[in-house]
PDB file of all heavy atoms in Angstrom:
ATOM      1  N   ALA A   1     214.166  44.795 298.650  1.00  0.00           N
ATOM      2  CA  ALA A   1     214.642  44.640 300.025  1.00  0.00           C
ATOM      3  C   ALA A   1     214.320  43.276 300.620  1.00  0.00           C
ATOM      4  O   ALA A   1     214.730  42.983 301.733  1.00  0.00           O
ATOM      5  CB  ALA A   1     214.048  45.734 300.904  1.00  0.00           C
ATOM      6  N   CYS A   2     213.568  42.449 299.909  1.00  0.00           N
ATOM      7  CA  CYS A   2     213.148  41.151 300.452  1.00  0.00           C
ATOM      8  C   CYS A   2     214.303  40.158 300.451  1.00  0.00           C
ATOM      9  O   CYS A   2     214.889  39.882 299.398  1.00  0.00           O
ATOM     10  CB  CYS A   2     212.002  40.573 299.621  1.00  0.00           C
ATOM     11  SG  CYS A   2     210.488  41.501 299.699  1.00  0.00           S
ATOM     12  N   ARG A   3     214.615  39.608 301.606  1.00  0.00           N
ATOM     13  CA  ARG A   3     215.589  38.526 301.715  1.00  0.00           C
ATOM     14  C   ARG A   3     214.865  37.227 301.385  1.00  0.00           C
ATOM     15  O   ARG A   3     213.754  36.988 301.868  1.00  0.00           O
ATOM     16  CB  ARG A   3     216.161  38.460 303.120  1.00  0.00           C
ATOM     17  CG  ARG A   3     216.833  39.750 303.567  1.00  0.00           C
ATOM     18  CD  ARG A   3     218.225  39.859 303.015  1.00  0.00           C
ATOM     19  NE  ARG A   3     218.882  41.079 303.468  1.00  0.00           N
ATOM     20  CZ  ARG A   3     220.078  41.459 303.076  1.00  0.00           C
ATOM     21  NH1 ARG A   3     220.744  40.717 302.218  1.00  0.00           N
ATOM     22  NH2 ARG A   3     220.612  42.557 303.527  1.00  0.00           N
ATOM     23  N   ILE A   4     215.481  36.384 300.592  1.00  0.00           N
ATOM     24  CA  ILE A   4     214.807  35.182 300.104  1.00  0.00           C
ATOM     25  C   ILE A   4     214.349  34.271 301.247  1.00  0.00           C
ATOM     26  O   ILE A   4     213.198  33.818 301.257  1.00  0.00           O
ATOM     27  CB  ILE A   4     215.707  34.426 299.104  1.00  0.00           C
ATOM     28  CG1 ILE A   4     215.782  35.213 297.790  1.00  0.00           C
ATOM     29  CG2 ILE A   4     215.186  33.017 298.853  1.00  0.00           C
ATOM     30  CD1 ILE A   4     216.775  34.676 296.785  1.00  0.00           C
ATOM     31  N   ASP A   5     215.203  33.995 302.210  1.00  0.00           N
ATOM     32  CA  ASP A   5     214.812  33.102 303.309  1.00  0.00           C
ATOM     33  C   ASP A   5     213.645  33.668 304.108  1.00  0.00           C
ATOM     34  O   ASP A   5     212.683  32.973 304.410  1.00  0.00           O
ATOM     35  CB  ASP A   5     216.009  32.843 304.229  1.00  0.00           C
ATOM     36  CG  ASP A   5     217.060  31.973 303.561  1.00  0.00           C
ATOM     37  OD1 ASP A   5     216.681  31.237 302.624  1.00  0.00           O
ATOM     38  OD2 ASP A   5     218.222  32.031 303.967  1.00  0.00           O
ATOM     39  N   GLY A   6     213.721  34.933 304.455  1.00  0.00           N
ATOM     40  CA  GLY A   6     212.634  35.562 305.196  1.00  0.00           C
ATOM     41  C   GLY A   6     211.345  35.629 304.392  1.00  0.00           C
ATOM     42  O   GLY A   6     210.244  35.545 304.946  1.00  0.00           O
ATOM     43  N   MET A   7     211.486  35.759 303.078  1.00  0.00           N
ATOM     44  CA  MET A   7     210.328  35.808 302.193  1.00  0.00           C
ATOM     45  C   MET A   7     209.511  34.527 302.286  1.00  0.00           C
ATOM     46  O   MET A   7     208.273  34.562 302.356  1.00  0.00           O
ATOM     47  CB  MET A   7     210.796  36.033 300.751  1.00  0.00           C
ATOM     48  CG  MET A   7     209.689  36.068 299.711  1.00  0.00           C
ATOM     49  SD  MET A   7     210.349  36.006 298.026  1.00  0.00           S
ATOM     50  CE  MET A   7     211.286  37.516 297.960  1.00  0.00           C
ATOM     51  N   MET A   8     210.183  33.388 302.316  1.00  0.00           N
ATOM     52  CA  MET A   8     209.476  32.114 302.379  1.00  0.00           C
ATOM     53  C   MET A   8     208.727  31.955 303.705  1.00  0.00           C
ATOM     54  O   MET A   8     207.608  31.434 303.728  1.00  0.00           O
ATOM     55  CB  MET A   8     210.441  30.956 302.176  1.00  0.00           C
ATOM     56  CG  MET A   8     211.136  30.967 300.825  1.00  0.00           C
ATOM     57  SD  MET A   8     209.981  31.151 299.428  1.00  0.00           S
ATOM     58  CE  MET A   8     211.115  31.696 298.152  1.00  0.00           C
ATOM     59  N   ASP A   9     209.317  32.444 304.782  1.00  0.00           N
ATOM     60  CA  ASP A   9     208.627  32.410 306.082  1.00  0.00           C
ATOM     61  C   ASP A   9     207.344  33.231 306.016  1.00  0.00           C
ATOM     62  O   ASP A   9     206.306  32.816 306.535  1.00  0.00           O
ATOM     63  CB  ASP A   9     209.534  32.956 307.184  1.00  0.00           C
ATOM     64  CG  ASP A   9     210.733  32.057 307.457  1.00  0.00           C
ATOM     65  OD1 ASP A   9     210.648  30.851 307.134  1.00  0.00           O
ATOM     66  OD2 ASP A   9     211.735  32.565 307.990  1.00  0.00           O
ATOM     67  N   ARG A  10     207.424  34.379 305.376  1.00  0.00           N
ATOM     68  CA  ARG A  10     206.250  35.263 305.280  1.00  0.00           C
ATOM     69  C   ARG A  10     205.169  34.661 304.380  1.00  0.00           C
ATOM     70  O   ARG A  10     203.983  34.751 304.678  1.00  0.00           O
ATOM     71  CB  ARG A  10     206.686  36.624 304.735  1.00  0.00           C
ATOM     72  CG  ARG A  10     205.570  37.644 304.632  1.00  0.00           C
ATOM     73  CD  ARG A  10     204.956  37.960 305.975  1.00  0.00           C
ATOM     74  NE  ARG A  10     204.001  39.065 305.859  1.00  0.00           N
ATOM     75  CZ  ARG A  10     202.982  39.255 306.698  1.00  0.00           C
ATOM     76  NH1 ARG A  10     202.801  38.439 307.728  1.00  0.00           N
ATOM     77  NH2 ARG A  10     202.169  40.253 306.526  1.00  0.00           N
ATOM     78  N   VAL A  11     205.579  34.034 303.284  1.00  0.00           N
ATOM     79  CA  VAL A  11     204.622  33.386 302.379  1.00  0.00           C
ATOM     80  C   VAL A  11     203.841  32.311 303.134  1.00  0.00           C
ATOM     81  O   VAL A  11     202.607  32.220 303.027  1.00  0.00           O
ATOM     82  CB  VAL A  11     205.350  32.786 301.145  1.00  0.00           C
ATOM     83  CG1 VAL A  11     204.402  31.896 300.340  1.00  0.00           C
ATOM     84  CG2 VAL A  11     205.893  33.896 300.260  1.00  0.00           C
ATOM     85  N   LYS A  12     204.543  31.497 303.917  1.00  0.00           N
ATOM     86  CA  LYS A  12     203.885  30.445 304.699  1.00  0.00           C
ATOM     87  C   LYS A  12     202.963  31.048 305.755  1.00  0.00           C
ATOM     88  O   LYS A  12     201.858  30.561 305.977  1.00  0.00           O
ATOM     89  CB  LYS A  12     204.939  29.553 305.357  1.00  0.00           C
ATOM     90  CG  LYS A  12     205.693  28.669 304.382  1.00  0.00           C
ATOM     91  CD  LYS A  12     206.655  27.732 305.076  1.00  0.00           C
ATOM     92  CE  LYS A  12     205.893  26.580 305.719  1.00  0.00           C
ATOM     93  NZ  LYS A  12     206.822  25.533 306.226  1.00  0.00           N
ATOM     94  N   GLU A  13     203.418  32.118 306.378  1.00  0.00           N
ATOM     95  CA  GLU A  13     202.617  32.795 307.407  1.00  0.00           C
ATOM     96  C   GLU A  13     201.293  33.293 306.837  1.00  0.00           C
ATOM     97  O   GLU A  13     200.257  33.263 307.506  1.00  0.00           O
ATOM     98  CB  GLU A  13     203.426  33.957 307.976  1.00  0.00           C
ATOM     99  CG  GLU A  13     202.748  34.735 309.088  1.00  0.00           C
ATOM    100  CD  GLU A  13     203.585  35.914 309.547  1.00  0.00           C
ATOM    101  OE1 GLU A  13     204.829  35.865 309.440  1.00  0.00           O
ATOM    102  OE2 GLU A  13     202.984  36.902 310.015  1.00  0.00           O
ATOM    103  N   LEU A  14     201.329  33.729 305.588  1.00  0.00           N
ATOM    104  CA  LEU A  14     200.127  34.257 304.932  1.00  0.00           C
ATOM    105  C   LEU A  14     199.259  33.153 304.330  1.00  0.00           C
ATOM    106  O   LEU A  14     198.199  33.432 303.774  1.00  0.00           O
ATOM    107  CB  LEU A  14     200.528  35.252 303.835  1.00  0.00           C
ATOM    108  CG  LEU A  14     201.180  36.548 304.318  1.00  0.00           C
ATOM    109  CD1 LEU A  14     201.723  37.343 303.144  1.00  0.00           C
ATOM    110  CD2 LEU A  14     200.176  37.388 305.114  1.00  0.00           C
ATOM    111  N   GLY A  15     199.720  31.917 304.408  1.00  0.00           N
ATOM    112  CA  GLY A  15     198.939  30.805 303.882  1.00  0.00           C
ATOM    113  C   GLY A  15     198.976  30.703 302.376  1.00  0.00           C
ATOM    114  O   GLY A  15     198.127  30.052 301.765  1.00  0.00           O
ATOM    115  N   GLN A  16     199.982  31.321 301.759  1.00  0.00           N
ATOM    116  CA  GLN A  16     200.124  31.262 300.310  1.00  0.00           C
ATOM    117  C   GLN A  16     200.956  30.034 299.930  1.00  0.00           C
ATOM    118  O   GLN A  16     201.786  29.575 300.707  1.00  0.00           O
ATOM    119  CB  GLN A  16     200.749  32.554 299.787  1.00  0.00           C
ATOM    120  CG  GLN A  16     199.871  33.771 300.080  1.00  0.00           C
ATOM    121  CD  GLN A  16     200.555  35.096 299.785  1.00  0.00           C
ATOM    122  OE1 GLN A  16     201.692  35.146 299.349  1.00  0.00           O
ATOM    123  NE2 GLN A  16     199.851  36.191 300.048  1.00  0.00           N
ATOM    124  N   THR A  17     200.724  29.526 298.733  1.00  0.00           N
ATOM    125  CA  THR A  17     201.352  28.264 298.336  1.00  0.00           C
ATOM    126  C   THR A  17     202.407  28.412 297.239  1.00  0.00           C
ATOM    127  O   THR A  17     203.087  27.445 296.905  1.00  0.00           O
ATOM    128  CB  THR A  17     200.283  27.283 297.842  1.00  0.00           C
ATOM    129  OG1 THR A  17     199.568  27.883 296.743  1.00  0.00           O
ATOM    130  CG2 THR A  17     199.284  26.960 298.948  1.00  0.00           C
ATOM    131  N   ALA A  18     202.550  29.606 296.681  1.00  0.00           N
ATOM    132  CA  ALA A  18     203.506  29.825 295.593  1.00  0.00           C
ATOM    133  C   ALA A  18     203.944  31.275 295.593  1.00  0.00           C
ATOM    134  O   ALA A  18     203.256  32.151 296.143  1.00  0.00           O
ATOM    135  CB  ALA A  18     202.879  29.466 294.247  1.00  0.00           C
ATOM    136  N   ILE A  19     205.084  31.534 294.976  1.00  0.00           N
ATOM    137  CA  ILE A  19     205.566  32.916 294.818  1.00  0.00           C
ATOM    138  C   ILE A  19     206.544  32.968 293.647  1.00  0.00           C
ATOM    139  O   ILE A  19     207.236  31.984 293.355  1.00  0.00           O
ATOM    140  CB  ILE A  19     206.236  33.438 296.112  1.00  0.00           C
ATOM    141  CG1 ILE A  19     206.561  34.931 295.982  1.00  0.00           C
ATOM    142  CG2 ILE A  19     207.471  32.622 296.464  1.00  0.00           C
ATOM    143  CD1 ILE A  19     206.953  35.588 297.297  1.00  0.00           C
ATOM    144  N   ALA A  20     206.572  34.110 292.977  1.00  0.00           N
ATOM    145  CA  ALA A  20     207.485  34.300 291.845  1.00  0.00           C
ATOM    146  C   ALA A  20     208.646  35.190 292.248  1.00  0.00           C
ATOM    147  O   ALA A  20     208.530  36.026 293.146  1.00  0.00           O
ATOM    148  CB  ALA A  20     206.744  34.925 290.664  1.00  0.00           C
ATOM    149  N   ILE A  21     209.759  34.997 291.564  1.00  0.00           N
ATOM    150  CA  ILE A  21     210.897  35.914 291.669  1.00  0.00           C
ATOM    151  C   ILE A  21     211.008  36.638 290.334  1.00  0.00           C
ATOM    152  O   ILE A  21     211.057  36.006 289.276  1.00  0.00           O
ATOM    153  CB  ILE A  21     212.204  35.167 292.013  1.00  0.00           C
ATOM    154  CG1 ILE A  21     213.373  36.151 292.143  1.00  0.00           C
ATOM    155  CG2 ILE A  21     212.518  34.062 291.006  1.00  0.00           C
ATOM    156  CD1 ILE A  21     214.659  35.508 292.674  1.00  0.00           C
ATOM    157  N   THR A  22     210.993  37.978 290.376  1.00  0.00           N
ATOM    158  CA  THR A  22     211.067  38.761 289.138  1.00  0.00           C
ATOM    159  C   THR A  22     212.024  39.927 289.334  1.00  0.00           C
ATOM    160  O   THR A  22     211.630  41.096 289.262  1.00  0.00           O
ATOM    161  CB  THR A  22     209.676  39.281 288.707  1.00  0.00           C
ATOM    162  OG1 THR A  22     209.101  40.053 289.771  1.00  0.00           O
ATOM    163  CG2 THR A  22     208.738  38.139 288.367  1.00  0.00           C
ATOM    164  N   ASP A  23     213.264  39.611 289.615  1.00  0.00           N
ATOM    165  CA  ASP A  23     214.249  40.667 289.831  1.00  0.00           C
ATOM    166  C   ASP A  23     214.496  41.445 288.543  1.00  0.00           C
ATOM    167  O   ASP A  23     214.313  40.947 287.442  1.00  0.00           O
ATOM    168  CB  ASP A  23     215.559  40.069 290.360  1.00  0.00           C
ATOM    169  CG  ASP A  23     215.451  39.678 291.818  1.00  0.00           C
ATOM    170  OD1 ASP A  23     214.838  40.435 292.591  1.00  0.00           O
ATOM    171  OD2 ASP A  23     215.959  38.604 292.185  1.00  0.00           O
ATOM    172  N   HIS A  24     214.956  42.677 288.723  1.00  0.00           N
ATOM    173  CA  HIS A  24     215.145  43.577 287.581  1.00  0.00           C
ATOM    174  C   HIS A  24     216.346  43.195 286.735  1.00  0.00           C
ATOM    175  O   HIS A  24     217.492  43.345 287.140  1.00  0.00           O
ATOM    176  CB  HIS A  24     215.324  45.015 288.058  1.00  0.00           C
ATOM    177  CG  HIS A  24     214.042  45.759 288.233  1.00  0.00           C
ATOM    178  ND1 HIS A  24     213.143  45.939 287.214  1.00  0.00           N
ATOM    179  CD2 HIS A  24     213.501  46.364 289.315  1.00  0.00           C
ATOM    180  CE1 HIS A  24     212.107  46.629 287.653  1.00  0.00           C
ATOM    181  NE2 HIS A  24     212.284  46.884 288.930  1.00  0.00           N
ATOM    182  N   GLY A  25     216.074  42.666 285.537  1.00  0.00           N
ATOM    183  CA  GLY A  25     217.110  42.440 284.542  1.00  0.00           C
ATOM    184  C   GLY A  25     218.050  41.289 284.803  1.00  0.00           C
ATOM    185  O   GLY A  25     218.926  41.017 283.975  1.00  0.00           O
ATOM    186  N   VAL A  26     217.908  40.603 285.967  1.00  0.00           N
ATOM    187  CA  VAL A  26     218.886  39.569 286.319  1.00  0.00           C
ATOM    188  C   VAL A  26     218.190  38.320 286.853  1.00  0.00           C
ATOM    189  O   VAL A  26     217.024  38.355 287.241  1.00  0.00           O
ATOM    190  CB  VAL A  26     219.893  40.069 287.384  1.00  0.00           C
ATOM    191  CG1 VAL A  26     220.643  41.295 286.891  1.00  0.00           C
ATOM    192  CG2 VAL A  26     219.186  40.369 288.701  1.00  0.00           C
ATOM    193  N   MET A  27     218.962  37.228 286.880  1.00  0.00           N
ATOM    194  CA  MET A  27     218.469  35.966 287.447  1.00  0.00           C
ATOM    195  C   MET A  27     219.425  35.458 288.531  1.00  0.00           C
ATOM    196  O   MET A  27     219.451  34.275 288.843  1.00  0.00           O
ATOM    197  CB  MET A  27     218.317  34.931 286.329  1.00  0.00           C
ATOM    198  CG  MET A  27     217.279  35.299 285.282  1.00  0.00           C
ATOM    199  SD  MET A  27     217.181  34.093 283.935  1.00  0.00           S
ATOM    200  CE  MET A  27     216.453  32.690 284.785  1.00  0.00           C
ATOM    201  N   TYR A  28     220.184  36.362 289.130  1.00  0.00           N
ATOM    202  CA  TYR A  28     221.200  35.967 290.109  1.00  0.00           C
ATOM    203  C   TYR A  28     220.624  35.185 291.285  1.00  0.00           C
ATOM    204  O   TYR A  28     221.285  34.310 291.838  1.00  0.00           O
ATOM    205  CB  TYR A  28     221.915  37.201 290.668  1.00  0.00           C
ATOM    206  CG  TYR A  28     222.594  38.073 289.653  1.00  0.00           C
ATOM    207  CD1 TYR A  28     222.605  39.458 289.803  1.00  0.00           C
ATOM    208  CD2 TYR A  28     223.245  37.536 288.539  1.00  0.00           C
ATOM    209  CE1 TYR A  28     223.237  40.283 288.886  1.00  0.00           C
ATOM    210  CE2 TYR A  28     223.880  38.354 287.619  1.00  0.00           C
ATOM    211  CZ  TYR A  28     223.875  39.730 287.794  1.00  0.00           C
ATOM    212  OH  TYR A  28     224.487  40.534 286.882  1.00  0.00           O
ATOM    213  N   GLY A  29     219.402  35.509 291.676  1.00  0.00           N
ATOM    214  CA  GLY A  29     218.837  34.897 292.869  1.00  0.00           C
ATOM    215  C   GLY A  29     218.014  33.647 292.624  1.00  0.00           C
ATOM    216  O   GLY A  29     217.497  33.050 293.581  1.00  0.00           O
ATOM    217  N   CYS A  30     217.887  33.233 291.378  1.00  0.00           N
ATOM    218  CA  CYS A  30     216.929  32.168 291.041  1.00  0.00           C
ATOM    219  C   CYS A  30     217.243  30.819 291.705  1.00  0.00           C
ATOM    220  O   CYS A  30     216.325  30.131 292.157  1.00  0.00           O
ATOM    221  CB  CYS A  30     216.840  31.996 289.527  1.00  0.00           C
ATOM    222  SG  CYS A  30     215.945  33.354 288.720  1.00  0.00           S
ATOM    223  N   ILE A  31     218.502  30.444 291.772  1.00  0.00           N
ATOM    224  CA  ILE A  31     218.846  29.144 292.360  1.00  0.00           C
ATOM    225  C   ILE A  31     218.566  29.156 293.862  1.00  0.00           C
ATOM    226  O   ILE A  31     217.934  28.231 294.398  1.00  0.00           O
ATOM    227  CB  ILE A  31     220.317  28.780 292.074  1.00  0.00           C
ATOM    228  CG1 ILE A  31     220.579  28.711 290.558  1.00  0.00           C
ATOM    229  CG2 ILE A  31     220.668  27.458 292.750  1.00  0.00           C
ATOM    230  CD1 ILE A  31     219.738  27.691 289.820  1.00  0.00           C
ATOM    231  N   ASP A  32     219.036  30.202 294.557  1.00  0.00           N
ATOM    232  CA  ASP A  32     218.768  30.315 295.995  1.00  0.00           C
ATOM    233  C   ASP A  32     217.265  30.367 296.264  1.00  0.00           C
ATOM    234  O   ASP A  32     216.776  29.758 297.214  1.00  0.00           O
ATOM    235  CB  ASP A  32     219.429  31.566 296.570  1.00  0.00           C
ATOM    236  CG  ASP A  32     220.949  31.466 296.610  1.00  0.00           C
ATOM    237  OD1 ASP A  32     221.465  30.326 296.494  1.00  0.00           O
ATOM    238  OD2 ASP A  32     221.612  32.501 296.751  1.00  0.00           O
ATOM    239  N   PHE A  33     216.542  31.099 295.424  1.00  0.00           N
ATOM    240  CA  PHE A  33     215.089  31.231 295.550  1.00  0.00           C
ATOM    241  C   PHE A  33     214.415  29.865 295.389  1.00  0.00           C
ATOM    242  O   PHE A  33     213.556  29.481 296.189  1.00  0.00           O
ATOM    243  CB  PHE A  33     214.587  32.211 294.496  1.00  0.00           C
ATOM    244  CG  PHE A  33     213.094  32.328 294.402  1.00  0.00           C
ATOM    245  CD1 PHE A  33     212.391  33.205 295.216  1.00  0.00           C
ATOM    246  CD2 PHE A  33     212.374  31.580 293.472  1.00  0.00           C
ATOM    247  CE1 PHE A  33     211.010  33.323 295.120  1.00  0.00           C
ATOM    248  CE2 PHE A  33     211.006  31.682 293.366  1.00  0.00           C
ATOM    249  CZ  PHE A  33     210.326  32.563 294.196  1.00  0.00           C
ATOM    250  N   TYR A  34     214.820  29.136 294.361  1.00  0.00           N
ATOM    251  CA  TYR A  34     214.234  27.822 294.078  1.00  0.00           C
ATOM    252  C   TYR A  34     214.466  26.871 295.252  1.00  0.00           C
ATOM    253  O   TYR A  34     213.543  26.194 295.712  1.00  0.00           O
ATOM    254  CB  TYR A  34     214.839  27.255 292.795  1.00  0.00           C
ATOM    255  CG  TYR A  34     214.302  25.893 292.406  1.00  0.00           C
ATOM    256  CD1 TYR A  34     213.143  25.778 291.648  1.00  0.00           C
ATOM    257  CD2 TYR A  34     214.946  24.727 292.802  1.00  0.00           C
ATOM    258  CE1 TYR A  34     212.642  24.535 291.287  1.00  0.00           C
ATOM    259  CE2 TYR A  34     214.447  23.485 292.456  1.00  0.00           C
ATOM    260  CZ  TYR A  34     213.299  23.390 291.699  1.00  0.00           C
ATOM    261  OH  TYR A  34     212.801  22.153 291.362  1.00  0.00           O
ATOM    262  N   LYS A  35     215.696  26.825 295.737  1.00  0.00           N
ATOM    263  CA  LYS A  35     216.028  25.921 296.837  1.00  0.00           C
ATOM    264  C   LYS A  35     215.273  26.290 298.113  1.00  0.00           C
ATOM    265  O   LYS A  35     214.756  25.421 298.823  1.00  0.00           O
ATOM    266  CB  LYS A  35     217.538  25.943 297.096  1.00  0.00           C
ATOM    267  CG  LYS A  35     218.362  25.274 296.008  1.00  0.00           C
ATOM    268  CD  LYS A  35     219.856  25.368 296.318  1.00  0.00           C
ATOM    269  CE  LYS A  35     220.681  24.648 295.273  1.00  0.00           C
ATOM    270  NZ  LYS A  35     222.146  24.778 295.536  1.00  0.00           N
ATOM    271  N   ALA A  36     215.196  27.591 298.413  1.00  0.00           N
ATOM    272  CA  ALA A  36     214.504  28.044 299.623  1.00  0.00           C
ATOM    273  C   ALA A  36     213.014  27.745 299.546  1.00  0.00           C
ATOM    274  O   ALA A  36     212.402  27.320 300.536  1.00  0.00           O
ATOM    275  CB  ALA A  36     214.739  29.539 299.832  1.00  0.00           C
ATOM    276  N   ALA A  37     212.423  27.968 298.363  1.00  0.00           N
ATOM    277  CA  ALA A  37     210.991  27.701 298.196  1.00  0.00           C
ATOM    278  C   ALA A  37     210.696  26.214 298.348  1.00  0.00           C
ATOM    279  O   ALA A  37     209.747  25.832 299.055  1.00  0.00           O
ATOM    280  CB  ALA A  37     210.524  28.209 296.837  1.00  0.00           C
ATOM    281  N   LYS A  38     211.491  25.383 297.707  1.00  0.00           N
ATOM    282  CA  LYS A  38     211.292  23.935 297.794  1.00  0.00           C
ATOM    283  C   LYS A  38     211.423  23.442 299.238  1.00  0.00           C
ATOM    284  O   LYS A  38     210.635  22.608 299.700  1.00  0.00           O
ATOM    285  CB  LYS A  38     212.296  23.213 296.888  1.00  0.00           C
ATOM    286  CG  LYS A  38     211.957  23.250 295.408  1.00  0.00           C
ATOM    287  CD  LYS A  38     210.665  22.494 295.136  1.00  0.00           C
ATOM    288  CE  LYS A  38     210.447  22.238 293.667  1.00  0.00           C
ATOM    289  NZ  LYS A  38     209.197  21.488 293.406  1.00  0.00           N
ATOM    290  N   ALA A  39     212.415  23.958 299.949  1.00  0.00           N
ATOM    291  CA  ALA A  39     212.632  23.552 301.336  1.00  0.00           C
ATOM    292  C   ALA A  39     211.464  23.951 302.227  1.00  0.00           C
ATOM    293  O   ALA A  39     211.162  23.282 303.219  1.00  0.00           O
ATOM    294  CB  ALA A  39     213.928  24.163 301.858  1.00  0.00           C
ATOM    295  N   ALA A  40     210.790  25.032 301.857  1.00  0.00           N
ATOM    296  CA  ALA A  40     209.664  25.534 302.650  1.00  0.00           C
ATOM    297  C   ALA A  40     208.325  24.960 302.192  1.00  0.00           C
ATOM    298  O   ALA A  40     207.282  25.282 302.760  1.00  0.00           O
ATOM    299  CB  ALA A  40     209.622  27.063 302.580  1.00  0.00           C
ATOM    300  N   GLY A  41     208.337  24.134 301.133  1.00  0.00           N
ATOM    301  CA  GLY A  41     207.086  23.580 300.614  1.00  0.00           C
ATOM    302  C   GLY A  41     206.279  24.580 299.813  1.00  0.00           C
ATOM    303  O   GLY A  41     205.063  24.452 299.678  1.00  0.00           O
TER     304      GLY A  41
END
């Protein structure tokens, strides 16, 4: 249920510096995830 953009906001809020994407059986979200994470530092 995690939206990628909102996920990055929450990671920053928690003071975390990294996060993994491990979707079930697919890599559909990897590019959007990578770009969103990089943009958020």
Side-chain angles (χ1 to χ4, degrees):
C2 294
R3 302 279 181 184
I4 288 172
D5 290 337
M7 178 191 297
M8 298 310 161
D9 293 337
R10 182 61 173 155
V11 170
K12 289 184 76 171
E13 182 183 332
L14 293 171
Q16 298 170 1
T17 58
I19 187 168
I21 181 172
T22 57
D23 285 320
H24 273 302
V26 301
M27 296 177 70
Y28 302 144
C30 287
I31 300 300
D32 290 343
F33 173 86
Y34 180 86
K35 289 179 177 178
K38 283 295 193 179

